[in-house]
Amino acid sequence: MKILAIETSCDDTAVSIVENGVKVLTHLVASQETLHAKFGGVVPEVASREHLKAIYPLIDMALKRAKLTVKNIDAIAVTAGPGLLGSLLVGVNAAKTLGYLWNKPVIPVNHLQAHIYAGKLGGQSWQFPVVGLVASGGHSEIVLLKKEGDYIYLGGTRDDAAGEAFDKVARILGAGYPGGPAIAKLAEGAKGGKITLPRPMVKEVGLDFSFSGLKTAALRAKAPKAELAHEFQEVVNETLTDRLQRAVERYKAKTVIIGGGVAANRNLRAKVEAMAQAKNLPVLIPDFRYCTDNASMIGAAAYFGTSKKKRDWYNVGVAI
Ligand code: KG4
Ligand code: ZN
């Protein structure tokens, strides 16, 4: 089954064609990064307009690159939420229009669930229960899957998402945008151990966390920029890994998985790998290009995670 997948929830216009949920035939991302960089964050109105310009040429290009025609496509998958409303509407309307014209089913996909399903790309399999972490610019959640598509929220941020915290601290340090890669790069030049920032909510036993106090502490701390970036990255990643570990133990996970833009962070990847290895558990860490927003993960989630009934659902709203 070949799915043409569309993602326009934030500032990347992305189109992929994915076979049987695992084989990526084309993977295209039109990034708006440089446009938004001068504002230090995504401007929703600008993002929607850019999606509108990019979406149809990108769909055309995806078919051409995969040497396929509309006849070879079995379904269209699209991110239906969560995300910026104007941005989502562009993708959803493109999917519905093409579904109508080409007479193909349209599959609505939850963006966060898709960040987890990015782990399936390349053909890796998982065993239930799966416990995962989705850490992106808009969300940071610990989740449980007991069966395909059954995404249960266990805990998460009480204020800033991990990526958002990276972006804000990068702005404070004048490190650039997007903040995650900028902080990671800055941190490479640090020795470490020069300052200590507070670990958030360590005494609480739940699966929630918070990054706003850490952000303020970083703002007030007096230390060289590289040292600050290093310690900040360390605390965020320690916190995320710690909560993931708690969930893995509590829900007796058989597979550990991470996804979302922050999962592209090498330090976080290493910490999660070490945690899973210590427990002798398989860990799925998506390829870098499948961590940040993309449409291949939408194709994977649509294939594995949506019920038959939903596959024929033309009336795709933008809330899922
Ligand atoms: O998943 P994503 O591309 O978009 C959302 O769904 O939000 O995540 C974007 C976020 C941004 O906040 C960005 O700073 C962060 O992911 N990010 C990283 C890295 N690469 C991207 N954070 C830490 N380290 C990275 N290497
Ligand atoms: Zn995302």
Side-chain angles (χ1 to χ4, degrees), residues 111 115 136 293 297:
H111 182 87
H115 270 306
S136 71
D293 286 349
M297 67 180 192

Side-chain angles (χ1 to χ4, degrees), residues 7 9-12 33 42 82-83 111-112 115 134-139 161-168 170 176-185 232-233 236-237 259-269 288 290-294 297:
E7 152 66 40
S9 69
C10 191
D11 63 336
D12 290 310
E33 209 167 275
V42 178
H111 182 87
L112 300 176
H115 270 306
V134 181
S136 71
H139 297 84
E164 187 182 357
F166 268 104
D167 293 339
K168 287 179 180 166
Y177 172 86
I183 295 266
K185 189 147 190 289
F232 170 78
Q233 174 175 259
V236 170
N237 292 346
V262 182
N265 186 282
R266 289 177 196 276
N267 177 281
L268 177 65
R269 293 162 87 92
F288 289 102
Y290 302 142
C291 287
T292 44
D293 286 349
N294 68 89
M297 67 180 192

Side-chain angles (χ1 to χ4, degrees), residues 76-136:
I76 300 167
V78 63
T79 305
L84 301 170
L85 187 63
S87 290
L88 288 166
L89 280 169
V90 177
V92 166
N93 270 306
K96 288 178 78 167
T97 306
L98 294 179
Y100 180 70
L101 285 173
W102 296 346
N103 195 24
K104 312 278 178 194
V106 176
I107 308 171
V109 171
N110 177 297
H111 182 87
L112 300 176
Q113 194 164 306
H115 270 306
I116 289 289
Y117 273 88
K120 287 263 193 180
L121 295 166
Q124 298 97 315
S125 58
W126 59 34
Q127 255 193 301
F128 296 110
V130 173
V131 167
L133 162 75
V134 181
S136 71

Side-chain angles (χ1 to χ4, degrees), residues 6-281:
I6 298 172
E7 152 66 40
T8 64
S9 69
C10 191
D11 63 336
D12 290 310
T13 320
V15 177
S16 285
I17 300 173
V18 182
E19 190 168 6
N20 296 334
V22 297
K23 191 170 175 207
V24 178
L25 304 181
T26 341
H27 176 92
L28 298 176
V29 182
S31 170
Q32 304 175 9
E33 209 167 275
T34 46
L35 254 183
H36 298 287
K38 57 176 178 278
F39 303 106
V42 178
V43 184
E45 181 66 22
V46 174
S48 319
R49 284 166 195 263
E50 289 304 307
H51 286 310
L52 214 44
K53 281 190 222 161
I55 189 72
Y56 288 107
L58 218 55
I59 290 169
D60 255 352
M61 196 188 288
L63 286 166
K64 280 194 189 113
R65 292 247 176 120
K67 296 193 172 55
L68 295 172
T69 66
V70 175
K71 273 198 223 117
N72 310 116
I73 300 297
D74 300 291
I76 300 167
V78 63
T79 305
L84 301 170
L85 187 63
S87 290
L88 288 166
L89 280 169
V90 177
V92 166
N93 270 306
K96 288 178 78 167
T97 306
L98 294 179
Y100 180 70
L101 285 173
W102 296 346
N103 195 24
K104 312 278 178 194
V106 176
I107 308 171
V109 171
N110 177 297
H111 182 87
L112 300 176
Q113 194 164 306
H115 270 306
I116 289 289
Y117 273 88
K120 287 263 193 180
L121 295 166
Q124 298 97 315
S125 58
W126 59 34
Q127 255 193 301
F128 296 110
V130 173
V131 167
L133 162 75
V134 181
S136 71
H139 297 84
S140 293
E141 315 190 336
I142 305 286
V143 303
L144 170 70
L145 269 85
K146 288 193 202 156
K147 56 184 195 318
E148 298 294 3
D150 180 25
Y151 182 98
I152 302 165
Y153 174 91
L154 298 177
T157 184
R158 294 206 183 151
D159 36 59
D160 291 6
E164 187 182 357
F166 268 104
D167 293 339
K168 287 179 180 166
V169 169
R171 203 184 310 175
I172 294 168
L173 297 178
Y177 172 86
I183 295 266
K185 189 147 190 289
L186 195 56
E188 279 171 20
K191 288 207 176 75
K194 290 245 178 337
I195 54 158
T196 310
L197 294 172
R199 270 64 185 155
M201 297 168 63
V202 269
K203 293 208 179 82
E204 289 195 29
V205 293
L207 296 170
D208 284 348
F209 41 85
S210 148
F211 291 126
S212 72
L214 173 66
K215 199 177 59 193
T216 313
L219 176 73
R220 300 215 175 115
K222 300 242 172 326
K225 283 184 181 181
E227 297 299 332
L228 243 173
H230 183 277
E231 174 66 0
F232 170 78
Q233 174 175 259
E234 203 54 35
V235 177
V236 170
N237 292 346
E238 248 180 64
T239 307
L240 294 173
T241 311
D242 173 76
R243 297 311 187 276
L244 184 61
Q245 178 172 345
R246 282 185 197 177
V248 161
E249 287 164 2
R250 248 175 241 185
Y251 293 89
K252 302 195 173 22
K254 291 212 172 110
T255 305
V256 185
I257 181 153
I258 59 171
V262 182
N265 186 282
R266 289 177 196 276
N267 177 281
L268 177 65
R269 293 162 87 92
K271 281 188 166 49
V272 171
E273 229 154 11
M275 183 273 285
Q277 251 166 31
K279 296 187 174 302
N280 232 343
L281 283 174

